[in-house]
Amino acid sequence: MSLVKINSNYWDYLFKDDPVRPNLNNKFRLTGNRVNFLLTQDFSKPCAVICVAFTKNIPETEKQLKNYSSNKLSINYDKAIFYTIWSYSKGSGKDILFSTVDWLKKNKPEIKRYITMSPKTKMARNFHLKNGAHELKSN
């Protein structure tokens, strides 16, 4: 499996498949202090996608996420906010999450906390708790 950074006009068409935050457009995802990754097996078929914002504060709403991860407000960021994740194949959600954390540890050592903005569903909560997360707050 390969972790690939999504750029404008390359794999960005996958954002339309986002089941969690379909309202966030490509401009939002590809600007500011935000990165997006694709997990793929053969570079022709997607397995999973994850979207990450870098912030100094912990957002509770999408509006705060946007404001906190804009370039001018995210100076000296130390948090990675995983604001959406989806998979096309079983087990790929977990794989992309851990691969992205590994990438961030190597490439963004200033990140000290990893936080998710998951939907309030039993499935999302169980996924995170099963994979070692601690519930910080429910908004």
Side-chain angles (χ1 to χ4, degrees), residues 19-67:
V20 179
R21 294 191 163 77
N23 55 303
L24 298 178
N25 62 29
N26 288 21
K27 183 179 178 186
F28 171 84
R29 295 170 197 264
L30 296 167
T31 60
N33 287 327
R34 303 176 198 107
V35 295
N36 311 274
F37 293 100
L38 161 75
L39 190 67
T40 181
Q41 209 163 23
D42 59 7
F43 294 96
S44 67
K45 202 162 106 175
C47 295
V49 175
I50 192 167
C51 301
V52 186
F54 304 115
T55 70
K56 186 74 178 160
N57 301 308
I58 299 172
E60 295 182 11
T61 64
E62 285 182 9
K63 184 176 181 179
Q64 286 179 342
L65 176 71
K66 181 179 180 180
N67 290 336

Side-chain angles (χ1 to χ4, degrees), residues 40-97:
T40 181
Q41 209 163 23
D42 59 7
F43 294 96
S44 67
K45 202 162 106 175
C47 295
V49 175
I50 192 167
C51 301
V52 186
F54 304 115
T55 70
K56 186 74 178 160
N57 301 308
I58 299 172
E60 295 182 11
T61 64
E62 285 182 9
K63 184 176 181 179
Q64 286 179 342
L65 176 71
K66 181 179 180 180
N67 290 336
Y68 294 170
S69 62
S70 70
N71 284 329
K72 62 183 177 183
L73 294 178
S74 290
I75 299 168
N76 300 319
Y77 56 77
D78 61 352
K79 294 170 186 63
I81 311 297
F82 301 102
Y83 63 90
T84 190
I85 181 172
W86 67 96
S87 66
Y88 299 93
S89 60
K90 187 169 176 60
S92 294
K94 177 182 176 180
D95 292 343
I96 196 169
L97 181 62

